[in-house]
Amino acid sequence: MVLMVAEEVREALRARRPVVALESTIIAHGLPRPRNLAVARELEEAVRREGAVPATIAVLDGRPRVGLDKTQLERIANEDGIRKLGHRDLPLAVASGASGATTVSATALLAALAGIRVFATGGLGGVHREWTATQDESADLGLLARTRITVVCAGVKSILDVPATLQRLETLGVAVAGYGTERFPGFYLSDSGHPVDWTLRSPEEVAGVMRAQDALRGPESALIVANPVPEEEQLDPALHARVLAGALRACAEEGITGQAVTPFLLDHLVRHTDGASLSANLAAVRGNARLAGRIAAAWAEG
C-alpha cells in the first residue's frame, strides 16, 4: 500500500488508543522559519498532553506519511520546494515522487484512509466572496461531504463568504456544531456573526455524535466541531473589519484571482495588523489541537 503509517500511530490505532491528525500546510506555508517548526512541535505536544498520539500528515518523496518523525518534520518545515497538496494532487505527487504539505482536504482523506477519526486544524476553506462571478469554492467542502472524520476547527477563514459556506455545508449534508457556543466562529474572531443550529459542550457529547453517525449508517460525511478562539485572544473585530476591507480592495486592484486570493489576503492581514492576525490564528490552532486530543480520548473510550 502507498500509505505509510508511523509505527507509533499504527500501534495506537491497533490498540484503539486516541490519535489526532494534524495538517502540515501551516508548517510549510503558513508560518515563517524557524517559528514554523517550533509551532509544529508545540501542536504535537498539545495533543500528547491530552493523552492522544499526534499524526502530522505530509507527502515525502511520493510517499503519503501519516505521522512524521523528527527528521521528516524538519524537512517539511525547512526544505525548499515543498508543494501545497490538496486531495486532488495526491495521485500526481505519489506518481512523480514529489514532496508536499497537505491541506485540510488531503489531510482529512489520508487520515480517514489510515483509520483516524479526529483531525485538528485552524480554519476550513469555503465559498469565496464574489462566488456568483468566480465560482470559486474550496475543495475542502466536497471532500468533507464524503469523508467520515471529525474536524475540530475555528470555523472558516473570515476572508471567505461565511453564510454562503454554511449554506453550502448544509446542502452537502455536512454536520456542523458549535463547541460551547451558539455562534459560528470566524477563525480570527470568536463570532462570525452567524448562528449554529447545534451546540456541543463536552468531548463526550462530540464522541456521542460520532457514534450516532456510525449507528445511523448514513452518508460518509464529516462532523465539523467549530471551536471559537477565546475572546481575549481574538483579533480586534474593528481592526479585522478595517484591514480586511483594505485587503479585498488591494486584491481587486492587483487582479489577484484563483488560488492566489487566499494567501494574498492572509498575508495582507498579517502585515497590516502587525502580526495580530497570526497570533489569533495560532491561538485558535492550539485550542483546536487540545480539544481534538480530548475528543479523541472520549471517542477511544467508547
Side-chain angles (χ1 to χ4, degrees), residues 7-74:
E7 183 177 357
E8 180 188 20
V9 175
R10 186 170 60 251
E11 289 180 355
L13 290 170
R14 187 183 299 121
R16 302 183 68 84
R17 296 198 305 271
V19 179
V20 172
L22 299 169
E23 65 160 290
S24 50
T25 294
I26 189 174
I27 305 169
H29 301 286
L31 296 167
R33 300 172 185 167
R35 191 177 187 184
N36 58 344
L37 181 58
V39 169
R41 291 169 174 161
E42 179 186 349
L43 295 178
E44 290 198 345
E45 182 56 31
V47 170
R48 290 190 189 281
R49 283 197 298 269
E50 300 300 335
V53 172
T56 301
I57 295 177
V59 177
L60 292 172
D61 305 316
R63 293 292 186 94
R65 293 189 174 272
V66 178
L68 303 181
D69 63 25
K70 177 181 176 182
T71 300
Q72 292 162 349
L73 199 63
E74 290 173 352

